[in-house]
Amino acid sequence: MSQIFQIPEESPVPEAQHNLHSHFADTLRVLRQLKGVTQLDVARGIFVARETYTGWENQRALPDNDNCESLDGFFGTGEYVLNLREQCRREHVASWFEAFSEYEAKCRELRSYVPFYIPGALQTEGYIRAISGAPVDEERLAMRLARKDKLLRPENPAHFFAVIDEAALIRTWRRPAAIREQLASLLEMGALPNVHIQVTRLDVPAHAGGAGALTIATMPDRSRAGWVEAQFGGRLIQDHNEICDLALVFDEIRGVALSEEASLAYIEQIMEMMHGDRVA
């Protein structure tokens, strides 16, 4: 094995992000340092902008397969970078659940917008089973349900601001009874003083939420962490400037949503419509 694979055991890992994504970023940094080149040298060598390569080392993004092949060629590492990137892609959901749930458990405020589902911390067991479409991992189910308990802990409960898209409310999925139970739970949760639920109607023009789901956790010391996701990926955000931008997006989504009172009334209206729907 060539010397270039002798990665130092104590390569720097950003605090609170000990996962494959951070390992990927660290690996790029160490490979570059062992080769004795700068970030600009690597960027020029694989024909990308320096900002693009810097983003990979700073965990802002993962390179695509083509860029990973170019990195392997530049560093002389066979398919090492490409294979590590594939592991990161597979791990992203699991690593988010593990890392971000720690923020949820301790946060003072949580803001969440999900376009097509009920936000995870508000989901009932029946709803989770209804939307899964496959046998549910009971251990993972218990972990997901525990998120609500941690968020609504009796001592110092967090304030939860949830914006729910109408599309998530009107889907009947496979078990309409479970959906009605979920809607009833939303009404119950929305009556709590620390839970704030708003609904974005389908007839609202395109808004900032079209980019995908986002969640922001604010800790007791006012530090914040965020999560954004899309169909094939997701990312934990800790950069201050990015989180400020993310918070602005959330505020823009809330700005086009119904008020809390009108939202709960609309959820109740949907429930009444479902009770009268013979198909449901």
Side-chain angles (χ1 to χ4, degrees):
M1 183 176 292
S2 65
Q3 185 178 2
I4 203 166
F5 284 95
Q6 297 176 8
I7 308 298
E9 294 182 359
E10 297 184 1
S11 57
V13 177
E15 187 175 357
Q17 291 200 60
H18 298 276
N19 52 38
L20 279 176
H21 195 171
S22 65
H23 177 58
F24 183 93
D26 256 2
T27 297
L28 288 186
R29 186 179 305 109
V30 173
L31 289 173
R32 175 176 58 78
Q33 291 170 348
L34 288 172
K35 194 174 179 67
V37 295
T38 66
Q39 292 179 339
L40 180 59
D41 292 331
V42 181
R44 287 175 172 172
I46 64 172
F47 305 103
V48 298
R50 177 181 179 179
E51 291 76 13
T52 299
Y53 178 79
T54 301
W56 301 338
E57 282 199 9
N58 292 340
Q59 301 185 49
R60 293 178 182 271
L62 283 171
D64 60 23
N65 287 346
D66 289 340
N67 284 322
C68 285
E69 290 177 357
S70 297
L71 287 165
D72 276 321
F74 183 86
F75 292 124
T77 49
E79 294 184 350
Y80 182 76
V81 175
L82 181 63
N83 290 335
L84 184 57
R85 193 265 184 198
E86 176 61 18
Q87 293 178 50
C88 290
R89 187 190 67 80
R90 293 176 180 176
E91 187 221 31
H92 80 270
V93 172
S95 67
W96 163 76
F97 189 86
E98 180 180 346
F100 198 76
S101 63
E102 292 299 317
Y103 289 102
E104 279 191 351
K106 300 175 183 178
C107 72
R108 293 297 299 117
E109 299 172 5
L110 191 71
R111 291 167 169 78
S112 181
Y113 169 74
V114 184
F116 304 115
Y117 295 90
I118 304 300
L122 295 178
Q123 292 177 1
T124 62
E125 178 178 347
Y127 180 83
I128 295 171
R129 294 185 184 278
I131 67 175
S132 294
V136 177
D137 183 319
E138 297 299 325
E139 182 177 354
R140 184 170 292 277
L141 172 65
M143 292 174 63
R144 292 177 66 177
L145 293 174
R147 294 170 61 192
K148 182 189 301 183
D149 296 334
K150 291 178 180 179
L151 191 65
L152 301 177
R153 53 194 179 271
E155 69 291 347
N156 266 335
H159 276 271
F160 186 21
F161 300 85
V163 180
I164 304 173
D165 196 86
E166 182 180 4
L169 301 174
I170 62 178
R171 280 191 170 90
T172 56
W173 300 100
R174 300 168 181 80
R175 303 177 186 176
I179 306 306
R180 287 193 291 269
E181 179 187 47
Q182 173 67 78
L183 297 181
S185 177
L186 288 179
L187 293 177
E188 181 181 348
M189 299 286 286
L192 297 175
N194 60 304
V195 178
H196 313 272
I197 296 175
Q198 293 179 253
V199 174
T200 52
R201 294 290 304 272
L202 291 176
D203 57 3
V204 171
H207 56 78
L214 64 91
T215 304
I216 305 169
T218 302
M219 309 306 290
D221 63 0
R222 310 312 295 175
S223 63
R224 294 187 291 181
W227 170 259
V228 294
E229 63 180 278
Q231 187 170 2
F232 294 111
R235 183 162 63 95
L236 181 66
I237 298 177
Q238 293 178 301
D239 178 78
H240 174 74
N241 292 331
E242 284 191 282
I243 291 177
C244 287
D245 291 340
L246 197 62
L248 179 59
V249 171
F250 182 80
D251 288 343
E252 290 177 352
I253 298 171
R254 286 191 70 194
V256 299
L258 298 175
S259 68
E260 293 181 42
E261 182 179 359
S263 295
L264 296 180
Y266 188 61
I267 293 173
E268 189 171 5
Q269 180 183 343
I270 293 175
M271 287 186 65
E272 294 173 354
M273 292 170 58
M274 291 185 70
H275 276 298
D277 185 352
R278 294 183 180 179
V279 176

